[in-house]
Amino acid sequence: MTKLVKPYGDTMNDGKIQLSFTLPVEWSEAADEAARQLVTKMGFTDAAVAEGRRIAAGFSFFVVYASTPQAVDVESIKAPSAREHAMTMEQVDDFVMTQIGRKIRIAGACIGTDAHTVGIDAILNMKGYKGDYGLERYHSFETYNLGSQIAPEDLVRYARENRIDAILASQVVTQKGSDVKNFTELVELLEAEGLRDAVVAICGGPRVTNLMASELGYDAGFGRGTLPSEVAAFVAVTLAERLKRQEKVTGRAGV
């Protein structure tokens, strides 16, 4: 079964969209026309400039409305979510003590040169986000927030020296693909150090999706709007499953 959908503007399936972008030209009526023609060359129809203005010397900003003839089959798209293990803080604490029998050691950091800790702080710090307490508040977690501008190799070294169970790597800045570069470097270092199977690896940021994280080699990815309890539940369930698999292989309880 297929279900083709197009953007909705004024009427169903009219394909109307809004684009915004900057051109490196001084604003003029000719600049407006350049923006309109550029959007038309992208394959859109009925392009109309709704906003065009100078934002700096030699640069202009535009908002253009247009229509697309393209549609997408939403029934054919698969993108599993990492948020399927929804539990409250109390339920996570009970689960960890019952299924793992000890606290989970978790370390998070804003890696690379990124200094924006708003995401990692929202998940780890006690106050949490949107009334959902951060992992420092959980009885079942030992939480280590390493802060910002942490090199991937330093985070891996910390994980090895402190027997960390789960790593949270955050990137808010995505300029020129710096987030993907740093996430890739981190997971490759975990592999090289023989730690990849020993830790639950999670990446996060406003542009991170679970599908993207999986393709990079992570256990999960969490994007905008993520609550601390969603991360806590995923870590608890994933680690418990991993320890049970290890116990079957070695005949010893996981530690």
Side-chain angles (χ1 to χ4, degrees):
M1 178 179 292
T2 61
K3 183 179 180 180
L4 296 176
V5 298
K6 295 174 68 175
Y8 174 95
D10 299 319
T11 59
M12 187 63 73
N13 292 322
D14 62 12
K16 290 291 186 183
I17 64 157
Q18 173 182 306
L19 299 97
S20 61
F21 54 89
T22 298
L23 290 180
V25 297
E26 285 291 342
W27 180 84
S28 66
E29 292 191 9
D32 274 1
E33 177 59 16
R36 191 192 69 78
Q37 289 191 20
L38 178 62
V39 171
T40 299
K41 286 185 175 181
M42 294 176 185
F44 297 101
T45 61
D46 303 323
V49 177
E51 172 72 7
R53 56 186 165 85
R54 180 181 187 273
I55 57 172
F59 292 89
S60 298
F61 176 74
F62 303 91
V63 176
V64 180
Y65 292 141
S67 299
T68 177
Q70 302 296 327
V72 64
D73 179 11
V74 294
E75 296 295 339
S76 67
I77 298 173
K78 306 299 180 187
S81 173
R83 306 183 188 190
E84 60 185 11
H85 306 295
M87 287 190 276
T88 66
M89 179 176 70
E90 292 77 14
Q91 289 172 328
V92 170
D93 281 341
D94 288 344
F95 178 89
V96 172
M97 290 301 110
T98 302
Q99 300 296 321
I100 299 177
R102 63 167 174 79
K103 290 188 175 184
I104 296 173
R105 297 180 289 271
I106 187 166
C110 202
I111 62 174
T113 59
D114 198 340
H116 301 77
T117 62
V118 59
I120 198 73
D121 288 345
I123 300 301
L124 296 182
N125 288 3
M126 185 174 291
K127 63 183 178 183
Y129 172 63
K130 281 190 173 180
D132 198 87
Y133 287 126
L135 272 57
E136 288 179 348
R137 182 93 176 193
Y138 287 61
H139 297 304
S140 56
F141 280 86
E142 288 182 15
T143 304
Y144 304 93
N145 187 344
L146 306 189
S148 65
Q149 298 183 318
I150 302 300
E153 57 265 35
D154 290 337
L155 182 53
V156 172
R157 183 182 307 114
Y158 189 90
R160 184 182 63 245
E161 293 175 351
N162 293 277
R163 302 181 65 194
I164 294 299
D165 297 304
I167 285 178
L168 273 63
S170 174
Q171 283 264 237
V172 174
V173 174
T174 60
Q175 189 175 21
K176 295 184 178 179
S178 60
D179 55 339
V180 173
K181 174 180 176 296
N182 288 325
F183 287 145
T184 301
E185 181 180 352
L186 175 62
V187 82
E188 287 180 348
L189 285 169
L190 288 171
E191 291 277 4
E193 292 285 337
L195 294 175
R196 180 61 191 89
D197 292 335
V199 300
V200 178
I202 296 172
C203 61
R207 295 187 184 179
V208 170
T209 66
N210 191 45
L211 181 60
M212 165 191 163
S214 176
E215 291 173 349
L216 291 177
Y218 285 77
D219 292 298
F222 289 90
R224 59 190 182 279
T226 298
L227 298 175
S229 60
E230 294 170 332
V231 176
F234 179 85
V235 171
V237 171
T238 303
L239 182 62
E241 292 174 347
R242 186 167 297 177
L243 292 176
K244 286 180 179 177
R245 286 198 300 271
Q246 292 174 359
E247 185 178 349
K248 286 183 179 179
V249 172
T250 64
R252 294 185 297 113
V255 294

